[in-house]
Amino acid sequence: MDLYTEMLVEILSKQKMEIHFPELSFSVEELLEMRCYEALRKIKAVLEDESLTDAACFQKIEEIINIFEEIGSDGGSRHDF
């Protein structure tokens, strides 16, 4: 599944569902844009954290993968360790 579809599934799976989405007050594009901005903001904060040593870089990458998982994506086949 591509990133757009993964994120859309994640967002819509939390909505009350009928034949339509009665509580969905934004367009699909607006919902995805909001979710993308929030994920990018979190990733930027992780990358700018100067308190971590170089040895903690692995943890930075792990945090970024966790952010992708929060929005319904995954870390791909390299994150199965």
Side-chain angles (χ1 to χ4, degrees), residues 30-41:
E30 290 170 319
L31 288 170
L32 287 170
E33 185 176 311
M34 287 185 288
R35 182 63 65 95
C36 288
Y37 177 77
E38 181 63 22
L40 288 173
R41 190 187 63 72

Side-chain angles (χ1 to χ4, degrees), residues 1 4-14 17 72:
M1 213 179 324
Y4 183 91
T5 304
E6 290 171 339
M7 291 172 51
L8 184 57
V9 167
E10 167 69 14
I11 291 168
L12 294 179
S13 70
K14 295 178 180 175
M17 287 189 238

Side-chain angles (χ1 to χ4, degrees), residues 61-80:
I61 295 167
E62 182 70 16
E63 286 183 58
I64 291 169
I65 290 170
N66 289 336
I67 292 166
F68 273 95
E69 289 175 343
E70 285 176 17
I71 63 171
S73 188
D74 61 32
S77 62
R78 293 186 173 214
H79 191 242
D80 57 0

